[in-house]
Amino acid sequence: LEWHYDKSQILEAYINEIFLGQQGSHAIHGFGRASEFYFDRPLQNLKPQQIALLIGMVKGASLYNPRRNPKRAMARRNTVL
């Protein structure tokens, strides 16, 4: 990959494709879409603790889903912070 793309392009592709949850039969991919789904606002309008929650979900979107596992999600967010 690094032969054809620089690191910022690889990171951008990853950020836009990472799985961060499920809404019925539709998967939530990317931090932008997850921001809208979980917080009903664009990514650039999130508070640091909300961004930390999304980052924490990368390790396991289902495991750290704030709607299903709020205590676990909060603990993971605090680890990220």
Side-chain angles (χ1 to χ4, degrees), residues 53-64:
L53 182 92
L54 294 179
I55 292 168
M57 291 177 67
V58 170
K59 186 174 182 179
S62 296
L63 185 65
Y64 299 111

Side-chain angles (χ1 to χ4, degrees), residues 13-78:
Y14 179 76
I15 286 171
N16 288 326
E17 292 298 326
I18 185 77
F19 174 76
L20 290 169
Q22 193 82 22
Q23 180 182 18
S25 62
H26 297 97
I28 306 299
H29 287 278
F31 284 95
R33 187 146 180 244
S35 172
E36 294 286 345
F37 176 70
Y38 290 109
F39 303 111
D40 199 29
R41 61 181 57 146
L43 187 60
Q44 61 268 23
N45 292 345
L46 293 185
K47 297 175 184 175
Q49 62 268 26
Q50 293 169 319
I51 294 169
L53 182 92
L54 294 179
I55 292 168
M57 291 177 67
V58 170
K59 186 174 182 179
S62 296
L63 185 65
Y64 299 111
N65 182 318
R67 294 180 180 171
R68 284 191 241 150
N69 304 303
K71 290 181 183 178
R72 189 179 295 156
M74 188 72 71
R76 180 71 183 147
R77 181 207 71 177
N78 292 342

